[in-house]
Amino acid sequence: MTVQVESYEHFSRLLHGKVIEQRIPVTATIEVSHRCSLNCSHCYNNLPMNDEAARRSELSYEELCRIMDEMADAGVLWLLFSGGEIFARSDFLDIYTYAKKKGFLLTLFTNGTLITERVADYLVRWRPFAIEITLYGRTKGTYETLTRVPGSWEKCMRGIELLRERKLPLKLKTVAVSVNRHELFAMQDLAAELGVEFRFDSMINPRTDCSASPLHVRLTPAEIVELDVLDGRRASEWKEFAERTIRSADQEHHPDQVYHCSGGVNSFSIDPTGKMTICVLSHFDEFDLRSGSLREGWDHFLRGVRGKPATRPTKCTDCRIKAVCGMCPANGELENGDPEEPVDFLCQTAHLRAAVFGFPVAAHGDCEYCEGGVHHPAIAETAASLKDRKPVTSALPATAPKSVGCETGCFGCGNTATTV
Amino acid sequence: MKGAVHVYRRKEQLVTRRIADESIIVPVAENVGDLESVYTMGEVGGYIWERLDGQRPLDEIVAGICLEYEIDEVSAKSDAAEFISALEIAGLIEKVRGESG
């Protein structure tokens, strides 16, 4: 009979192991608003700060409290507040405090530009589990080229400093896109100087409102894998990850199901209007928490979504390099309008990554990037150039979504291009 | 502990979560416990923790454990004392009364 002061990693592993068997939703995300103080080119869901229709449709403080009560009862422990921008809501600290008092371990995703001394002091008093600020460039010019808001660089840097000087649990991250790729490692160096963790992601999706506009700044598969090669730590992590997963004979394999992730097993998301989904990206199947309880949404609706049977075999079905590919039903939805349709961009990136880091790629159906496939020579040639740190001259095919845009012609979502 | 009345209470600003048969103590504000740590306890620990309300003497809680879990009194007292000590060190409880009775 002891009280255990657990290392966080041990505790997290232990609890996740237990909850998967019991299908308890220990992890949840609430997007409190899609409104944002920035206007980033690559973002999948941002709306202007002054979007009155968006503001009016957001869950009220009272509605969020009711939902958070239900979340605590259902077993949610890790709760992420995300956006848009969380501080776009003037009542965010009230929402946050309510969540703290419910005993959630809270992570905040923010762009940092709306953090003031008052906010930072408040977070000292009610300390979050983690705060992650996305940095969009190392220099003002690059940062504001991507965010498209003059003066946002200074506000972000001030937000970072306010949190850092108070020793709050701050991490920095970025999204590597064509606009800021040349400053990626300078951003990494800045984080090291500040003494905070840093990570980056290179995967960009079409917007959840069906616009393909973010793809204009998406890196090519060769550029993405080049960053993996240039970042020594990331290269080691990929190799380790592959050892653990790809070569493992017992890797989880459910060819009969659409979903293979933790969504609907131990996690879910809620958008600003109260739509409960399997994750922040997937919106084909939504449960309205304004009409039903969270328990109904989790026990019945999302259980059904998670258990959806696959309608057909695809080249992803027996693919053993899934672990290094971001393909998932949400990406299929956003890129192809079909959760099961392989995303060409992800497939090309995964095969190139496998070729560069030497992961074995077993035959998995009609795949144009595998040995014998029409694009395999270009994959092999590009991989050789990347490994030798030479300029890439091979001709990998351009990757484009098979279906983007709602095709109604209204362009209300901002999508004025059907292909990129 | 014989002859003494020991009464403890959980500090305020701690939330107890019960998830997958684990009692998890989450500090919610500064100056309570260690905000970087996660505290967990098993079933008997959870039984004691729930009863540290600043009213019930520890002896009464121990007697309850003996009945509930069929543990002999000597073992239960020893384990409870160890558990209370760990909670005090972690800064999760405070003593309300501890004088000889």
Side-chain angles (χ1 to χ4, degrees):
Chain A
M1 191 203 310
T2 57
V3 56
Q4 304 282 343
V5 182
E6 304 266 14
S7 78
Y8 174 71
E9 287 75 16
H10 178 255
F11 164 75
S12 174
R13 224 176 12 253
L14 186 81
L15 193 63
H16 275 99
K18 287 179 107 174
V19 299
I20 284 172
E21 286 169 20
Q22 300 176 46
R23 197 175 170 269
I24 297 171
V26 281
T27 304
T29 299
I30 298 180
E31 294 175 327
V32 291
S33 175
H34 280 164
R35 291 175 298 125
C36 186
S37 50
L38 303 180
N39 182 26
C40 298
S41 310
H42 66 280
C43 188
Y44 63 90
N45 69 10
N46 62 337
L47 295 171
M49 279 290 272
N50 61 359
D51 187 327
E52 268 306 301
R55 192 189 61 75
R56 281 196 303 273
S57 70
E58 289 166 3
L59 291 166
S60 67
Y61 170 76
E62 290 75 19
E63 286 175 313
L64 280 165
C65 292
R66 190 263 296 170
I67 289 169
M68 287 191 280
D69 288 346
E70 293 186 77
M71 286 168 65
D73 291 343
V76 172
L77 181 62
W78 288 275
L79 174 56
L80 165 65
F81 283 121
S82 183
E85 167 52 40
I86 54 175
F87 291 106
R89 280 187 71 130
S90 57
D91 61 352
F92 178 70
L93 286 180
D94 297 330
I95 298 164
Y96 172 79
T97 309
Y98 190 86
K100 278 296 289 181
K101 289 179 177 174
K102 295 299 293 182
F104 298 120
L105 297 178
L106 295 172
T107 295
L108 308 181
F109 282 4
T110 172
N111 62 41
T113 62
L114 301 176
I115 292 174
T116 60
E117 278 195 33
R118 184 183 77 87
V119 168
D121 287 342
Y122 195 85
L123 294 176
V124 170
R125 189 168 157 225
W126 299 94
R127 190 179 171 90
F129 179 70
I131 310 173
E132 297 191 7
I133 288 183
T134 310
L135 189 62
Y136 297 106
R138 176 63 183 90
T139 62
K140 176 178 168 66
T142 297
Y143 184 97
E144 293 180 4
T145 299
L146 191 59
T147 65
R148 300 185 286 196
V149 176
S152 54
W153 159 252
E154 287 84 357
K155 287 178 183 170
C156 174
M157 296 311 288
R158 179 161 182 266
I160 289 171
E161 197 46 37
L162 287 169
L163 299 180
R164 198 180 71 94
E165 66 192 15
R166 285 164 178 76
K167 299 185 172 23
L168 283 159
L170 173 66
K171 295 176 186 176
L172 295 182
K173 60 187 176 185
T174 197
V175 183
V177 291
S178 58
V179 174
N180 66 8
R181 169 180 165 230
H182 62 291
E183 292 186 358
L184 179 68
F185 295 109
M187 287 188 260
Q188 196 170 53
D189 291 345
L190 173 65
E193 281 167 31
L194 296 173
V196 299
E197 276 182 44
F198 178 82
R199 65 186 163 87
F200 70 90
D201 188 8
S202 313
M203 294 303 183
I204 298 293
N205 314 103
R207 285 175 61 91
T208 52
D209 65 8
C210 86
S211 164
S213 58
L215 306 192
H216 291 291
V217 294
R218 180 159 80 178
L219 298 179
T220 65
E223 288 168 337
I224 288 171
V225 178
E226 183 181 31
L227 292 177
D228 293 343
V229 172
L230 292 174
D231 182 349
R233 196 181 66 181
R234 200 171 172 92
S236 307
E237 283 170 358
W238 274 123
K239 285 176 189 164
E240 248 174 63
F241 186 63
E243 283 296 326
R244 270 204 324 270
T245 55
I246 297 172
R247 293 174 203 274
S248 165
D250 60 351
Q251 72 169 291
E252 203 176 343
H253 188 55
H254 298 289
D256 53 334
Q257 290 182 355
V258 173
Y259 287 91
H260 300 96
C261 60
S262 62
V265 176
N266 61 22
S267 67
F268 64 85
S269 294
I270 299 171
D271 84 357
T273 66
K275 302 292 191 303
M276 184 185 194
T277 55
I278 207 158
C279 74
V280 292
L281 292 177
S282 176
H283 286 271
F284 266 26
D285 298 294
E286 296 178 331
F287 182 83
D288 188 355
L289 291 173
R290 280 178 160 144
S291 307
S293 71
L294 187 124
R295 180 50 77 186
E296 287 173 86
W298 178 254
D299 284 351
H300 303 291
F301 183 79
L302 282 189
R303 183 191 290 275
V305 174
R306 186 59 176 75
K308 266 189 188 177
T311 61
R312 63 188 190 276
T314 68
K315 65 175 176 176
C316 298
T317 306
D318 290 321
C319 179
R320 305 293 282 180
I321 58 168
K322 271 182 204 160
V324 296
C325 175
M327 177 57 195
C328 70
N331 276 306
E333 275 179 32
L334 292 173
E335 199 111 1
N336 297 328
D338 177 349
E340 296 176 62
E341 184 63 27
V343 173
D344 188 41
F345 166 77
L346 297 171
C347 189
Q348 191 182 114
T349 306
H351 282 77
L352 188 56
R353 190 171 272 144
V356 166
F357 294 111
F359 308 151
V361 184
H364 55 104
D366 188 14
C367 176
E368 58 271 49
Y369 298 113
C370 282
E371 205 163 339
V374 63
H375 297 311
H376 181 71
I379 288 280
E381 199 183 317
T382 307
S385 301
L386 289 170
K387 280 196 277 192
D388 293 342
R389 312 266 175 113
K390 289 180 181 164
V392 174
T393 53
S394 59
L396 276 167
T399 57
K402 291 189 177 166
S403 159
V404 292
C406 50
E407 294 174 0
T408 62
C410 72
F411 301 126
C413 55
N415 179 28
T416 53
T418 51
T419 54
V420 176
Chain B
M1 281 190 284
K2 192 168 182 179
V5 176
H6 296 274
V7 179
Y8 297 86
R9 75 170 156 229
R10 299 181 298 273
K11 283 194 179 166
E12 288 181 6
Q13 306 294 6
L14 290 168
V15 178
T16 310
R17 304 292 313 279
R18 185 90 185 146
I19 301 170
D21 303 324
E22 294 277 342
S23 288
I24 303 153
I25 313 303
V26 183
V28 297
E30 63 178 336
N31 304 322
V32 183
D34 177 356
L35 288 158
E36 304 292 342
S37 302
V38 178
Y39 304 92
T40 62
M41 52 189 71
E43 192 177 348
V44 183
Y47 179 95
I48 297 175
W49 173 257
E50 284 168 22
R51 287 159 180 77
L52 297 174
D53 55 7
Q55 304 287 325
R56 269 181 264 212
L58 188 56
D59 280 351
E60 187 185 315
I61 299 172
V62 169
I65 293 170
C66 296
L67 284 174
E68 187 82 17
Y69 299 99
E70 296 180 358
I71 301 171
D72 70 85
E73 191 182 345
V74 174
S75 303
K77 271 192 171 175
S78 162
D79 288 352
E82 193 184 320
F83 180 66
I84 291 292
S85 169
L87 291 175
E88 280 190 302
I89 289 167
L92 302 178
I93 59 171
E94 56 198 358
K95 189 181 264 189
V96 177
R97 271 197 293 153
E99 73 282 9
S100 293

